[in-house]
Amino acid sequence: MGLSTDIPPTLPQSFYRRSALIVARECIGKFLVSRVGGTTTVGRIVETEAYRGPDDAAAHSYRGRRTPRTEVMFGPAGYAYVFVLYGMHHAFNVVTARRGKPEAVLIRAIQPIEGVPVMARRRRLPVGHRSLADGPGKLCQALGITKEHYGADLTQGIITITDGPRAPVVASSRVGIDYAGEWANKPWRFAERGSVFVSKVRSTSV
DNA sequence: GAATAGATTGTCT
DNA sequence: GACAATCTATTCT
């Protein structure tokens, strides 16, 4: 079956058709592949956050809020939920769970793997800069992901996620959702242990 | 290294 | 009309 042993298989829809909590954890170590603009850029996912639908005050789909923006989360798993943030940044999410359950996983940081010069150019940073994709807005810019990719099928097409070796994962609280009360403290942010490519909070002592 | 302010627009009240 | 699942430059220590 394998034409090449270099390229791991694209994750099937069944990977996404589970709880956001599980998918968020299992996404760590997988490869996010973008072919935007005909150029391939690849990053290894090192940080994610789970957003759990109607019960989660931090989720856009809290209380089942269903608008043109959140619509894709109510559909089947394995599609892209992209939204604009602070008027100038994009954030890329993977829709999880079954149809009708508006859950999603925010991809917060990737470790640049392939197409680094392209990522640097898109970020308008010199090659060798170390903050290419360590944040939700940054990775969208580096991979060329925009609103135009809202609703994209992640099991085929220009944005896909392929399997990768399992990595050690640590959980912590989510970022930038202080308004969500008790929900802000849930340990629903996942990161590869020890990765220097994660966003924000870095350990002060190493 | 840490803290702070400003950028800028789609989305919802 | 207010605010947001952020990023960057700037200021201070």
Side-chain angles (χ1 to χ4, degrees), chain A residues 24-44:
Chain A
R25 181 179 283 274
E26 293 201 3
C27 274
I28 303 298
K30 302 287 193 280
F31 295 95
L32 178 55
V33 180
S34 159
R35 299 177 195 82
V36 172
T39 313
T40 299
T41 46
V42 181
R44 188 167 158 275

Side-chain angles (χ1 to χ4, degrees), chain A residues 46-101:
Chain A
V46 296
E47 183 182 351
T48 63
E49 279 178 3
Y51 286 86
R52 300 200 65 190
D55 294 334
D56 180 2
H60 292 158
S61 54
Y62 183 45
R63 299 161 98 135
R65 184 166 49 172
R66 188 167 186 164
T67 66
R69 181 173 73 148
T70 63
E71 181 63 30
V72 71
M73 282 195 281
F74 288 82
Y79 290 82
Y81 171 42
V82 181
F83 62 92
V84 178
L85 191 53
Y86 295 98
M88 62 188 92
H89 302 296
H90 294 272
F92 173 76
N93 302 250
V94 170
V95 174
T96 73
R98 66 187 64 189
R99 185 189 288 273
K101 280 192 91 181

Side-chain angles (χ1 to χ4, degrees), chain A residues 17-202:
Chain A
R17 205 184 301 123
R18 301 174 292 169
S19 153
L21 242 41
I22 293 176
V23 177
R25 181 179 283 274
E26 293 201 3
C27 274
I28 303 298
K30 302 287 193 280
F31 295 95
L32 178 55
V33 180
S34 159
R35 299 177 195 82
V36 172
T39 313
T40 299
T41 46
V42 181
R44 188 167 158 275
I45 299 172
V46 296
E47 183 182 351
T48 63
E49 279 178 3
Y51 286 86
R52 300 200 65 190
D55 294 334
D56 180 2
H60 292 158
S61 54
Y62 183 45
R63 299 161 98 135
R65 184 166 49 172
R66 188 167 186 164
T67 66
R69 181 173 73 148
T70 63
E71 181 63 30
V72 71
M73 282 195 281
F74 288 82
Y79 290 82
Y81 171 42
V82 181
F83 62 92
V84 178
L85 191 53
Y86 295 98
M88 62 188 92
H89 302 296
H90 294 272
F92 173 76
N93 302 250
V94 170
V95 174
T96 73
R98 66 187 64 189
R99 185 189 288 273
K101 280 192 91 181
E103 300 195 355
V105 171
L106 170 68
I107 309 299
R108 288 193 56 89
I110 59 169
Q111 170 181 355
I113 297 292
E114 187 184 324
V116 171
V118 179
M119 295 191 206
R121 193 181 324 136
R122 285 177 177 150
R123 294 268 294 126
R124 301 175 186 215
L125 291 172
V127 177
H129 197 283
R130 54 184 216 289
S131 294
L132 281 183
D134 55 344
K138 298 182 197 178
L139 76 86
C140 282
Q141 194 178 7
L143 297 180
I145 297 173
T146 68
K147 268 202 78 140
E148 168 181 342
H149 305 106
Y150 181 96
D153 183 350
L154 301 175
T155 63
Q156 56 178 0
I158 64 174
I159 302 171
T160 54
I161 300 179
T162 64
D163 205 1
R166 213 174 184 76
V169 174
V170 291
S172 56
S173 57
R174 294 176 292 179
V175 177
I177 52 163
D178 296 338
Y179 59 85
E182 60 173 301
W183 296 94
N185 297 320
K186 302 284 185 186
W188 292 350
R189 174 191 187 212
F190 302 96
E192 179 184 21
R193 181 171 52 198
S195 174
V196 299
F197 297 98
V198 305
S199 73
K200 218 150 182 167
V201 199
R202 281 199 187 96

